[in-house]
Amino acid sequence: MKTKLTFVGAAFVLAATTGIAQADPIRIGTEGAYRPWNFVNEKGELDGFEIELAKNLCQRLNSECTFIQNSWDGLLPGLDAGRYDVLFSGFAMTASRAETAGMAGPYAILAMTFYTVADSPLASADAEGVVSFDRDPKAAEEAIQKMRTLLTGHTVGVSASGLSARFVESYFDGSADLKRYRRLDEIDIDVSSGRVAAGLTQLSYATDMIARTKDVSYKLIGPAFEGGMLGQGVGALVAKGNSDLQQKFQTVIDEAIKDGTIRELSEKWFSSDMTPVR
């Protein structure tokens, strides 16, 4: 199978060319600002784990796929308005999200972690691996209590429209304040300057950001959290009621998990296996 990537206006188009008639083009919405999940590389092209995965899945579906970049907070309204057919942009598969969109996946695990700068008083807390609200709720609650004590009286930077804000509101109300940001790199800047004491984001983003940043020494603090209100993992979103497209993507995501494609891509982009536990 040959693939062809072209640039049309604000969209990247992947055509999988075979002797078989292709399905209708699929419009994929993504933020393109969430490295290493999805971002614009040095060549001005969309790149990252989700971009490569979506291209692979489109090939399996024998479909032409168009990538459309937009701000994260405009993706869900755009899906509802019919501007996209599917979203690949770091969306957590949560119960509340299932009420408004169809979901396919998960295609990657999701864990949230706190981080600060190395010379912060909070840096005395070392990273402690991942705890799960689903598999070990007692350990998760003990970890929350420990982080409440650490963060009391401090301000945490979070994404304005993501899970991190709801997580802080649910578990740290009355102990830590929160400041909302539209972009994750804005949180990084304010953590480095001390305007906020810590940030909360996905473990994969924080690990990549720390490895790439040379002029600031960041550090993960405490455990990372998964499960519970954070959902089943990261998945693709389709418009509510589009069960046909939802099932098509679910089928090829399952295939990509089974044949090791997701393991290979996650090891490339995250330096670890992000394959969901089934």
Side-chain angles (χ1 to χ4, degrees), residues 1-250:
M1 180 179 293
K2 297 180 180 179
T3 62
K4 180 181 178 182
L5 182 63
T6 58
F7 181 75
V8 183
F12 292 85
V13 178
L14 175 74
T17 57
T18 68
I20 305 172
Q22 293 180 353
D24 292 337
I26 297 173
R27 298 163 301 165
I28 300 176
T30 190
E31 180 187 22
Y34 191 35
R35 186 184 179 117
W37 294 84
N38 56 81
F39 64 99
V40 177
N41 64 23
E42 293 79 5
K43 297 179 181 179
E45 301 169 342
L46 283 169
D47 207 351
F49 170 76
E50 287 180 303
I51 304 304
E52 279 204 51
L53 175 61
K55 291 176 182 178
N56 180 280
L57 300 180
C58 288
Q59 289 177 336
R60 294 172 191 263
L61 292 171
N62 190 36
S63 294
E64 176 185 319
C65 288
T66 302
F67 289 85
I68 304 172
Q69 187 181 357
N70 199 355
S71 62
W72 200 88
D73 55 4
L75 291 174
L76 281 171
L79 183 68
D80 292 338
R83 290 192 289 272
Y84 319 111
D85 298 305
V86 60
L87 303 179
F88 280 80
S89 202
F91 283 99
M93 297 179 64
T94 63
S96 60
R97 192 155 280 151
E99 296 176 359
T100 58
M103 301 187 295
Y107 49 71
I109 61 174
L110 182 152
M112 303 293 290
T113 189
F114 291 95
Y115 68 100
T116 188
V117 284
D119 59 355
S120 165
L122 301 183
S124 60
D126 291 325
E128 300 177 13
V130 179
V131 295
S132 171
F133 287 99
D134 298 330
R135 293 192 298 273
D136 196 343
K138 181 179 179 181
E141 181 56 35
E142 291 174 351
I144 288 290
Q145 293 290 354
K146 181 177 180 180
M147 293 306 295
R148 279 196 191 114
T149 301
L150 180 71
L151 294 170
T152 294
H154 295 286
T155 300
V156 177
V158 297
S159 172
S161 53
L163 269 177
S164 55
R166 295 195 294 276
F167 186 79
V168 172
E169 288 171 340
S170 296
Y171 290 105
F172 297 89
D173 184 42
S175 58
D177 296 322
L178 79 123
K179 184 175 180 180
R180 301 169 188 265
Y181 295 81
R182 290 194 63 186
R183 293 177 56 92
L184 294 178
D185 57 354
E186 294 173 345
I187 305 176
D188 304 337
I189 292 170
D190 276 9
V191 170
S192 69
S193 69
R195 284 188 285 270
V196 295
L200 176 67
T201 189
Q202 283 199 38
L203 176 62
S204 54
Y205 170 85
T207 301
D208 178 79
M209 181 273 294
I210 291 172
R212 289 185 293 106
T213 304
K214 306 304 180 184
D215 56 339
V216 179
S217 180
Y218 293 100
K219 179 186 178 183
L220 302 180
I221 53 174
F225 298 91
E226 68 175 9
M229 69 172 293
L230 299 177
Q232 308 168 37
V234 179
L237 301 188
V238 302
K240 190 72 172 178
N242 193 348
S243 57
D244 181 60
L245 187 61
Q246 179 182 2
Q247 186 55 54
K248 286 179 179 179
F249 271 102
Q250 187 63 60

